[in-house]
Amino acid sequence: MNREQVIAAYTAPGRHYHNLTHIEDCLAALARVDNLSEREREILTEAIWWHDVVYDPTRSDNEELSARLAEQHVREDIGAEVARLIRLTKTHDVQGDDRLGAILISIDLSILGAEPARYDAYAAAIRQEFIHVPDADYRAGRAHVLGQFAARPVIFPDPAFAARYDGQARENLARELAALR
């Protein structure tokens, strides 16, 4: 799978949020991260490119399938680490000493801390990706997921992302949760 095929996956019909714009936003967020070695930046760049390459909202193994593709197509000396990071995006749970994991998860979740209009557009795009789910079921499922994030003492495991996005993320989550209930 070459870069053009990866881009084609992100531009497939039905990708309203998990698309090329999401990847571009994640890469832009990575560009603002300081104190990374060239190797760390390369690992995170590849993890960003591959983390949602497989995305089917009717499946629960997208992250695993994306990680396996990365292992097959990313340079061998970094493939295992890239795949490990991708697998973290299933739960967004990171160990305290996992710096690269904290950065990737914080980048992936940074949309939660976007300004309200952008967050609302994201929430609408997620609904479109799950258009196959009846409204009552979607509202309950989405409220459950958002409630889990809102209940975390730390939404963004990287301290710099937490400082920048946590307050706005909590406001956005509270607003969407109120609308879902």
Side-chain angles (χ1 to χ4, degrees):
M1 193 171 207
N2 61 32
R3 189 65 81 202
E4 290 76 28
Q5 291 168 315
V6 170
I7 290 170
Y10 283 108
T11 56
R15 285 190 179 236
H16 300 275
Y17 174 72
H18 292 92
N19 56 26
L20 198 54
T21 299
H22 171 54
I23 299 307
E24 292 166 348
D25 289 345
C26 288
L27 292 170
L30 175 61
R32 294 187 296 270
V33 175
D34 295 326
N35 301 317
L36 290 172
S37 70
E38 187 176 317
R39 179 181 171 82
E40 289 170 329
R41 194 166 294 282
E42 180 181 14
I43 288 167
L44 287 165
T45 298
E46 291 294 346
I48 288 168
W49 270 108
W50 290 92
H51 83 282
D52 285 326
V53 73
V54 175
Y55 185 76
D56 176 348
T58 67
R59 298 183 64 119
S60 63
D61 61 351
N62 293 311
E63 296 83 2
E64 181 59 32
L65 296 174
S66 294
R68 289 180 191 171
L69 280 173
E71 287 172 322
Q72 295 168 16
H73 296 285
V74 171
R75 215 176 63 230
E76 189 175 342
D77 64 314
I78 63 171
E81 177 65 357
V82 169
R84 181 190 75 78
L85 292 172
I86 291 167
R87 288 180 176 104
L88 293 176
T89 66
K90 182 168 182 74
T91 62
H92 295 94
D93 291 329
V94 181
Q95 297 299 314
D97 62 347
D98 185 357
R99 180 170 178 254
L100 292 186
I103 292 169
L104 179 67
I105 295 309
S106 296
I107 287 172
D108 193 34
L109 295 178
S110 62
I111 189 66
L112 299 179
E115 51 92 12
R118 187 155 174 254
Y119 178 89
D120 293 346
Y122 145 77
I126 293 294
R127 179 63 182 117
Q128 286 305 301
E129 289 184 344
F130 286 88
I131 200 67
H132 61 280
V133 178
D135 196 53
D137 293 341
Y138 177 80
R139 293 166 77 85
R142 180 79 173 156
H144 176 74
V145 169
L146 296 181
Q148 287 181 316
F149 281 118
R152 290 181 178 201
V154 176
I155 295 173
F156 304 95
D158 179 78
F161 279 84
R164 180 174 181 177
Y165 293 112
D166 190 76
Q168 185 63 57
R170 292 189 185 282
E171 289 177 24
N172 288 336
L173 292 172
R175 191 177 67 259
E176 187 178 357
L177 280 165
L180 289 168
R181 294 188 171 127

